[in-house]
Amino acid sequence: MAADLVSCLLFLFLFSSNAPLLARSTHIQCTPTERRALTLLREGFTDPSGRLTSWSGEDCCTWEGVQCHNRTGRVTKLDLRNPYHLINGDRTAYERSCLGGKINQSLLLLEYLTYLDLSLNDFQGLEIPHFFGELKSLQYLNLSFASFAGEIPPSLGNLSKLEYLDLFADSFSSTGPRELRSQSLEWLTPLSSLKQLNLGFAKLNGVAGQWLQMLNMLPSLLDLRLHWCELQGLPLTLPSINFTSLSVVDLSENSFNSVFPQWLFNLTGLTELYLTWDFFSGSIPADFANLKTLRVLDLSDNLNLEGQIPGFFGNLSKLEFLDLSANNFHGDIYEFFSGFSSSPNNKLESLDLSSNSLIGELPDSLRSVKHLQHLDLSSNSFWGSIPSSIGSLSELRKLDLSYNMMNGTIPESFGQLSWLVDMNLMANS
Ligand SMILES: *[C@@H]1O[C@H](CO)[C@@H](O)[C@H](O)[C@H]1NC(C)=O
Ligand SMILES: *[C@@H]1O[C@H](CO)[C@@H](O)[C@H](O)[C@H]1NC(C)=O
Ligand SMILES: *[C@@H]1O[C@H](CO)[C@@H](O)[C@H](O)[C@H]1NC(C)=O
Ligand SMILES: *[C@@H]1O[C@H](CO)[C@@H](O)[C@H](O)[C@H]1NC(C)=O
Ligand SMILES: *[C@@H]1O[C@H](CO)[C@@H](O)[C@H](O)[C@H]1NC(C)=O
Ligand SMILES: *[C@@H]1O[C@H](CO)[C@@H](O)[C@H](O)[C@H]1NC(C)=O
Ligand SMILES: *[C@@H]1O[C@H](CO)[C@@H](O)[C@H](O)[C@H]1NC(C)=O
Ligand SMILES: *[C@@H]1O[C@H](CO)[C@@H](O)[C@H](O)[C@H]1NC(C)=O
C-alpha cells in the first residue's frame, strides 16, 4: 500500500511543474569516496585534448566514461577507450586524444568496478600496475593498443571473475609498440571464467613448452588470440583436452616449425582458425573435415604446406573464407572443386589459392561455388582458357588470375558479372 502511494505521488509529481526538482533530488549519485577516487585518477592522467573535463561537479555518475549501478550509485564501469579513430590518418589528433601518465591506486576504491577499458591510449611504456589484480569484481579488462610494457603482472590471475582479458600489445603511438612480456602463463590458470583472451604481440618466447597446457586449464575459453607472440614448441598431442569450447583460435605469426597438431582436430566447435605464417609443414590432414563448424580457415604464408588440395573442403558447409595462399601446394584443383559441386549449399565467399605451384585448367565445376565474391588464383601455373562458367559466379566482385599460363579469349560470360569491380588477368597469354 505504502509503495503504491509513493509511486502514485511520484507519478503526480512527474507530471507537475515540480518534476525537475524531484528528479534531481531522487537521482542516484555517486559516493564521495568514489568521486574522490576518480578525481585522484584523473590527476594522475595526462589528457591533452581535455577528454575528462566533464570530471568535475558532484555527481561522478554523469562524468564521461563513468557508469554507476542504477540503484546503488556505485561505479561499475569505466570506459576510457580513446574514441578517436585513426581511420583518416590524422595522427596528431589521435595522439592529442590519448590519455597517458600514471594510474593512481585510488582505482581500488571502486570496489564494484566490473569493466575497465583503457584501450587505444598511450601510457608510453608504463607497467601494468600489480594492483590491478586486486580489482576483485572485474569481468572485463581491456588494455590493448595502449603502450603498456614490461612483465604482465601475475597478480591478474587473482581476478577470478574475469571473462574478457585483452592485452593486445601493438600500438598506434608514434613512439612505437612497447615490449610486453610474460615468462610463464601459469598466472592464467585460476581464471576459470575467462571467455576471451588476447595476448597478441606480447613476447611469450620464454614460456617454453608449457603455455598450451596452461591454456588447456581454461574450460570457459571461447576466443584465444596469440598473434605474433614469438611462441615456439607447439605440443603435437595433449593427454586430455579441456578447452573444447574454443570457437576462435588465432595463433598466427609464431614459429612452430611443425606439422598440424592432432589436438586441433578435437576442437570441434571452432568457427575461426588463423594459422598463418607459423611455419607449419606437411600436407593438409583429412582431420580438418572434423571441424564442421568452421567459417574461416586461414593457413596462408606457411610457405611449406604441400601436396594436393583435398576435396573435403566442400563438406565444410559453413565455410565462408578459405586462404591457402603462399604455400607449396601442387597438382590440380579438380578434386577440390568437385568437393563443392557435391555440396550445392556451400557458402564459400572468399577463396585464395594464390602463390602455390598449382597446375591444370580451371574446371567447369568452378560454377558450383556460387557465392564466391573474391577469387584469387594468381601466381600458379594454371593453363588453358577461362571457362565460360565463370559467368555463373553472379556475386563475384574481385577476380585475380594473373601470373599463370592461361591463354585463349576472355569469355563473353564475363558480361554477366554485374558486381565485378576488380579484375586482374595480367601476365598470361
Ligand atoms: C537498472 O538496471 C537494470 C539492469 O540494467 C534494469 O533491468 C533496471 O530496470 C534498471 N532500474 C532502473 C530503476 O532504472
Ligand atoms: C595517487 O594519489 C595520491 C594522492 O594525491 C598521491 O600521493 C600518489 O602519489 C598518487 N599515486 C600515483 C601512482 O599517482
Ligand atoms: C579491446 O579494445 C580494442 C580497441 O578498442 C577493441 O578492438 C577490442 O575488441 C577490445 N577487446 C575486447 C575483448 O572487447
Ligand atoms: C594475488 O596474486 C599474487 C601473485 O600471483 C599473490 O602473491 C597474491 O597472494 C594474490 N593475492 C590474493 C589476495 O589472492
Ligand atoms: C583439465 O581440467 C582439470 C580440472 O579443471 C584439471 O585437473 C586438468 O589438469 C586439466 N587437464 C589438463 C590437460 O590441463
Ligand atoms: C580426440 O578425438 C578423438 C576422436 O573423437 C578421440 O579418440 C580422442 O581421444 C580425442 N583426444 C583427446 C586428447 O581427447
Ligand atoms: C564429403 O561428403 C561426401 C558426400 O556428402 C562423402 O561421400 C565424403 O566421404 C565426405 N568426405 C569427407 C572427407 O568427409
Ligand atoms: C593454349 O595453349 C595450348 C598449349 O599450351 C595450346 O595447345 C592451345 O592451342 C592454346 N590455345 C590458344 C587459343 O591459343
Side-chain angles (χ1 to χ4, degrees), residues 133 136 154-155 158:
K136 285 286 151 60
S155 62
N158 292 348

Side-chain angles (χ1 to χ4, degrees), residues 341-352:
S341 24
S342 40
S343 308
N345 295 323
N346 73 76
K347 300 199 168 56
L348 198 65
E349 289 175 7
S350 177
L351 174 64
D352 191 342

Side-chain angles (χ1 to χ4, degrees), residues 33-44 55-57 60 63 106:
T33 311
E34 295 196 331
R35 180 171 59 241
R36 176 91 186 118
L38 289 170
T39 303
L40 287 178
L41 189 66
R42 183 195 171 186
E43 284 168 2
W55 284 34
S56 64
C60 71
W63 295 358
S106 64

Side-chain angles (χ1 to χ4, degrees), residues 132-143:
F132 275 14
E134 293 169 52
L135 292 164
K136 285 286 151 60
S137 304
L138 223 49
Q139 294 167 5
Y140 180 98
L141 178 60
N142 194 340
L143 306 179

Side-chain angles (χ1 to χ4, degrees), residues 286 289 292 311-312 314-315 342-343:
K292 296 212 184 308
F312 62 74
N315 291 27
S342 40
S343 308

